[in-house]
Amino acid sequence: MTVAAGAVWGRVEQQDFRSRVRGTLLGAAVGDALGAPVDGLAVDGIREAYGVEGLVDLAPGYGRRGAVTHLTQLTLFSVDGLIRAQVRRDTGAWHPPTDLHRAYRRWAATQSDWGPDERRKDDGWLAREEWLYARRGPSRACLLGFGDDTMGTLDSPKNPGATGAEAAARSAPFGLLVGWEPQLVMQLAVECAAQTHGHPVAYLSAGAYAVVVHGLARGESLDGAVQRALGMLAARPGHQPVSEALQRALGAVRQGLPSPARVEELAGAGTAEGLLAVAVYCALVGEDVRHGLCLAVNQGGPSGPAGALTGGLLGALHGETALPPAWLAELEGRPTLLVLADDFAMEMTQGPALHGPAGASPGWISRYPRGS
């Protein structure tokens, strides 16, 4: 199921994969940081605050420029959980949704504790990053979903009425499992989304988003990746709103120059399928990464999730070097993001050398413990 199992990676392939991993995680974080200060503001309010063109640069939020929200925090713990799942596979314990739930529970601890608890040896290095303990607008669905040890499942989801895009916005890392079949990627994203967002439009949007990222990370076109996601959605009960939203996004590309009005029309009520459509549309029509991200956030709905979803697609499509360097320079937590991205790429390409039959690296096991 993993690309590391039996696959031989060339140097160029490894470098391209690492660039796409970095691009996906940094792109999602930059989009989150760009959109957060205007989240929920009407277009008129954005223009009043930032000028007739709207928001075209990072703006202060949470006391600084480039600040990220809980969406980026949870995305980091998604990556951490995926690495730990790979490491734990050597023990015979192979159930990635459980490993992801444990990772998200570690995030939940950051939202209630003052700082890292050095007594918890199995927390790993990410949970000791003090900047992650800032509370950045976590949604009620996320706090309730990860508020106890009971894991939501598709048969018994947490918050079955939750239709927001937060679950989709933390799902880009699932798409970076390039050695997995797309069906498995979708299934994992859907199961993990149901841990907080139990409505079909929310968890199927997360699954579709992960499949699109997966296609981009494997070198497919954005249009081709969306078509693949549409084909896979068709077999899922309750897929119609998500499929129709993606079809609208593709159709809107042919309707003339992009505008905030068209983005708002795609966003609809700001639920998961609408913001997924916004991300696909803005990634398709954006002249470059900066333009695509600005288009995504200058609308009256949830701008943070829209930016995060769009940034993840653009980063997976173009790699890290296409992201605006001035924005990356101010991005909160960039050193942590880069280390985690590189650790993920190393695990996926060289996992057996880190914890395979020939022996385990003590340093790696310390960073990603096999315990909880």
PDB file of all heavy atoms in Angstrom, residues 320-337:
ATOM      1  N   GLU A 320       6.844  23.668  -4.695  1.00  0.00           N
ATOM      2  CA  GLU A 320       7.095  24.756  -3.754  1.00  0.00           C
ATOM      3  C   GLU A 320       7.651  26.008  -4.414  1.00  0.00           C
ATOM      4  O   GLU A 320       7.403  27.133  -3.957  1.00  0.00           O
ATOM      5  CB  GLU A 320       8.067  24.297  -2.658  1.00  0.00           C
ATOM      6  CG  GLU A 320       9.451  23.955  -3.159  1.00  0.00           C
ATOM      7  CD  GLU A 320      10.443  23.718  -2.033  1.00  0.00           C
ATOM      8  OE1 GLU A 320      10.402  24.458  -1.032  1.00  0.00           O
ATOM      9  OE2 GLU A 320      11.270  22.806  -2.162  1.00  0.00           O
ATOM     10  N   THR A 321       8.434  25.875  -5.508  1.00  0.00           N
ATOM     11  CA  THR A 321       9.082  27.049  -6.073  1.00  0.00           C
ATOM     12  C   THR A 321       8.102  28.003  -6.741  1.00  0.00           C
ATOM     13  O   THR A 321       8.461  29.146  -7.037  1.00  0.00           O
ATOM     14  CB  THR A 321      10.159  26.634  -7.096  1.00  0.00           C
ATOM     15  OG1 THR A 321       9.558  25.826  -8.118  1.00  0.00           O
ATOM     16  CG2 THR A 321      11.272  25.849  -6.417  1.00  0.00           C
ATOM     17  N   ALA A 322       6.866  27.557  -6.984  1.00  0.00           N
ATOM     18  CA  ALA A 322       5.871  28.438  -7.603  1.00  0.00           C
ATOM     19  C   ALA A 322       5.156  29.315  -6.577  1.00  0.00           C
ATOM     20  O   ALA A 322       4.436  30.242  -6.957  1.00  0.00           O
ATOM     21  CB  ALA A 322       4.838  27.610  -8.360  1.00  0.00           C
ATOM     22  N   LEU A 323       5.344  29.042  -5.292  1.00  0.00           N
ATOM     23  CA  LEU A 323       4.645  29.812  -4.262  1.00  0.00           C
ATOM     24  C   LEU A 323       5.306  31.171  -4.079  1.00  0.00           C
ATOM     25  O   LEU A 323       6.526  31.299  -4.217  1.00  0.00           O
ATOM     26  CB  LEU A 323       4.664  29.037  -2.941  1.00  0.00           C
ATOM     27  CG  LEU A 323       4.022  27.644  -2.989  1.00  0.00           C
ATOM     28  CD1 LEU A 323       4.202  26.940  -1.645  1.00  0.00           C
ATOM     29  CD2 LEU A 323       2.552  27.723  -3.354  1.00  0.00           C
ATOM     30  N   PRO A 324       4.523  32.216  -3.766  1.00  0.00           N
ATOM     31  CA  PRO A 324       5.093  33.561  -3.614  1.00  0.00           C
ATOM     32  C   PRO A 324       6.129  33.609  -2.496  1.00  0.00           C
ATOM     33  O   PRO A 324       5.800  33.395  -1.325  1.00  0.00           O
ATOM     34  CB  PRO A 324       3.868  34.423  -3.274  1.00  0.00           C
ATOM     35  CG  PRO A 324       2.694  33.658  -3.805  1.00  0.00           C
ATOM     36  CD  PRO A 324       3.058  32.215  -3.636  1.00  0.00           C
ATOM     37  N   PRO A 325       7.389  33.898  -2.807  1.00  0.00           N
ATOM     38  CA  PRO A 325       8.434  33.850  -1.772  1.00  0.00           C
ATOM     39  C   PRO A 325       8.229  34.861  -0.660  1.00  0.00           C
ATOM     40  O   PRO A 325       8.560  34.590   0.497  1.00  0.00           O
ATOM     41  CB  PRO A 325       9.725  34.121  -2.561  1.00  0.00           C
ATOM     42  CG  PRO A 325       9.286  34.740  -3.847  1.00  0.00           C
ATOM     43  CD  PRO A 325       7.940  34.183  -4.138  1.00  0.00           C
ATOM     44  N   ALA A 326       7.685  36.036  -0.990  1.00  0.00           N
ATOM     45  CA  ALA A 326       7.471  37.040   0.057  1.00  0.00           C
ATOM     46  C   ALA A 326       6.448  36.558   1.077  1.00  0.00           C
ATOM     47  O   ALA A 326       6.543  36.896   2.272  1.00  0.00           O
ATOM     48  CB  ALA A 326       7.021  38.358  -0.570  1.00  0.00           C
ATOM     49  N   TRP A 327       5.471  35.780   0.636  1.00  0.00           N
ATOM     50  CA  TRP A 327       4.483  35.233   1.568  1.00  0.00           C
ATOM     51  C   TRP A 327       5.091  34.110   2.397  1.00  0.00           C
ATOM     52  O   TRP A 327       4.844  34.010   3.597  1.00  0.00           O
ATOM     53  CB  TRP A 327       3.258  34.732   0.803  1.00  0.00           C
ATOM     54  CG  TRP A 327       2.447  35.834   0.192  1.00  0.00           C
ATOM     55  CD1 TRP A 327       2.669  37.188   0.304  1.00  0.00           C
ATOM     56  CD2 TRP A 327       1.274  35.692  -0.621  1.00  0.00           C
ATOM     57  NE1 TRP A 327       1.721  37.883  -0.392  1.00  0.00           N
ATOM     58  CE2 TRP A 327       0.851  37.007  -0.962  1.00  0.00           C
ATOM     59  CE3 TRP A 327       0.557  34.606  -1.090  1.00  0.00           C
ATOM     60  CZ2 TRP A 327      -0.266  37.239  -1.755  1.00  0.00           C
ATOM     61  CZ3 TRP A 327      -0.558  34.825  -1.888  1.00  0.00           C
ATOM     62  CH2 TRP A 327      -0.969  36.132  -2.214  1.00  0.00           C
ATOM     63  N   LEU A 328       5.888  33.267   1.758  1.00  0.00           N
ATOM     64  CA  LEU A 328       6.534  32.189   2.513  1.00  0.00           C
ATOM     65  C   LEU A 328       7.455  32.753   3.594  1.00  0.00           C
ATOM     66  O   LEU A 328       7.577  32.176   4.676  1.00  0.00           O
ATOM     67  CB  LEU A 328       7.340  31.295   1.567  1.00  0.00           C
ATOM     68  CG  LEU A 328       6.549  30.440   0.583  1.00  0.00           C
ATOM     69  CD1 LEU A 328       7.507  29.639  -0.288  1.00  0.00           C
ATOM     70  CD2 LEU A 328       5.587  29.508   1.312  1.00  0.00           C
ATOM     71  N   ALA A 329       8.105  33.875   3.291  1.00  0.00           N
ATOM     72  CA  ALA A 329       9.048  34.458   4.243  1.00  0.00           C
ATOM     73  C   ALA A 329       8.362  34.871   5.540  1.00  0.00           C
ATOM     74  O   ALA A 329       8.993  34.887   6.609  1.00  0.00           O
ATOM     75  CB  ALA A 329       9.755  35.660   3.618  1.00  0.00           C
ATOM     76  N   GLU A 330       7.073  35.210   5.459  1.00  0.00           N
ATOM     77  CA  GLU A 330       6.341  35.656   6.650  1.00  0.00           C
ATOM     78  C   GLU A 330       5.421  34.590   7.228  1.00  0.00           C
ATOM     79  O   GLU A 330       4.745  34.833   8.227  1.00  0.00           O
ATOM     80  CB  GLU A 330       5.511  36.894   6.303  1.00  0.00           C
ATOM     81  CG  GLU A 330       6.331  38.116   5.951  1.00  0.00           C
ATOM     82  CD  GLU A 330       5.470  39.364   5.842  1.00  0.00           C
ATOM     83  OE1 GLU A 330       5.151  39.952   6.902  1.00  0.00           O
ATOM     84  OE2 GLU A 330       5.104  39.731   4.707  1.00  0.00           O
ATOM     85  N   LEU A 331       5.391  33.422   6.631  1.00  0.00           N
ATOM     86  CA  LEU A 331       4.444  32.397   7.041  1.00  0.00           C
ATOM     87  C   LEU A 331       4.786  31.844   8.420  1.00  0.00           C
ATOM     88  O   LEU A 331       5.897  31.372   8.660  1.00  0.00           O
ATOM     89  CB  LEU A 331       4.443  31.253   6.021  1.00  0.00           C
ATOM     90  CG  LEU A 331       3.505  30.082   6.300  1.00  0.00           C
ATOM     91  CD1 LEU A 331       2.046  30.538   6.278  1.00  0.00           C
ATOM     92  CD2 LEU A 331       3.740  28.973   5.278  1.00  0.00           C
ATOM     93  N   GLU A 332       3.815  31.894   9.297  1.00  0.00           N
ATOM     94  CA  GLU A 332       4.003  31.351  10.649  1.00  0.00           C
ATOM     95  C   GLU A 332       4.269  29.845  10.579  1.00  0.00           C
ATOM     96  O   GLU A 332       3.600  29.112   9.858  1.00  0.00           O
ATOM     97  CB  GLU A 332       2.751  31.605  11.491  1.00  0.00           C
ATOM     98  CG  GLU A 332       2.868  31.116  12.912  1.00  0.00           C
ATOM     99  CD  GLU A 332       1.602  31.333  13.717  1.00  0.00           C
ATOM    100  OE1 GLU A 332       0.514  31.388  13.101  1.00  0.00           O
ATOM    101  OE2 GLU A 332       1.691  31.465  14.956  1.00  0.00           O
ATOM    102  N   GLY A 333       5.267  29.408  11.343  1.00  0.00           N
ATOM    103  CA  GLY A 333       5.534  27.976  11.446  1.00  0.00           C
ATOM    104  C   GLY A 333       6.225  27.365  10.251  1.00  0.00           C
ATOM    105  O   GLY A 333       6.284  26.136  10.130  1.00  0.00           O
ATOM    106  N   ARG A 334       6.776  28.184   9.346  1.00  0.00           N
ATOM    107  CA  ARG A 334       7.384  27.625   8.135  1.00  0.00           C
ATOM    108  C   ARG A 334       8.480  26.606   8.440  1.00  0.00           C
ATOM    109  O   ARG A 334       8.537  25.556   7.788  1.00  0.00           O
ATOM    110  CB  ARG A 334       7.924  28.747   7.235  1.00  0.00           C
ATOM    111  CG  ARG A 334       8.533  28.232   5.928  1.00  0.00           C
ATOM    112  CD  ARG A 334       8.732  29.361   4.937  1.00  0.00           C
ATOM    113  NE  ARG A 334       9.685  30.344   5.430  1.00  0.00           N
ATOM    114  CZ  ARG A 334      10.959  30.435   5.015  1.00  0.00           C
ATOM    115  NH1 ARG A 334      11.417  29.603   4.110  1.00  0.00           N
ATOM    116  NH2 ARG A 334      11.750  31.365   5.489  1.00  0.00           N
ATOM    117  N   PRO A 335       9.371  26.849   9.422  1.00  0.00           N
ATOM    118  CA  PRO A 335      10.391  25.826   9.697  1.00  0.00           C
ATOM    119  C   PRO A 335       9.778  24.473  10.074  1.00  0.00           C
ATOM    120  O   PRO A 335      10.250  23.424   9.622  1.00  0.00           O
ATOM    121  CB  PRO A 335      11.194  26.430  10.856  1.00  0.00           C
ATOM    122  CG  PRO A 335      11.009  27.908  10.715  1.00  0.00           C
ATOM    123  CD  PRO A 335       9.601  28.071  10.238  1.00  0.00           C
ATOM    124  N   THR A 336       8.714  24.494  10.870  1.00  0.00           N
ATOM    125  CA  THR A 336       8.051  23.240  11.256  1.00  0.00           C
ATOM    126  C   THR A 336       7.432  22.565  10.041  1.00  0.00           C
ATOM    127  O   THR A 336       7.552  21.345   9.866  1.00  0.00           O
ATOM    128  CB  THR A 336       6.961  23.526  12.301  1.00  0.00           C
ATOM    129  OG1 THR A 336       7.532  24.196  13.427  1.00  0.00           O
ATOM    130  CG2 THR A 336       6.307  22.232  12.772  1.00  0.00           C
ATOM    131  N   LEU A 337       6.776  23.351   9.197  1.00  0.00           N
ATOM    132  CA  LEU A 337       6.162  22.810   7.988  1.00  0.00           C
ATOM    133  C   LEU A 337       7.196  22.131   7.087  1.00  0.00           C
ATOM    134  O   LEU A 337       6.970  21.037   6.562  1.00  0.00           O
ATOM    135  CB  LEU A 337       5.465  23.922   7.216  1.00  0.00           C
ATOM    136  CG  LEU A 337       4.089  24.345   7.720  1.00  0.00           C
ATOM    137  CD1 LEU A 337       3.821  25.800   7.371  1.00  0.00           C
ATOM    138  CD2 LEU A 337       3.014  23.472   7.106  1.00  0.00           C
TER     139      LEU A 337
END
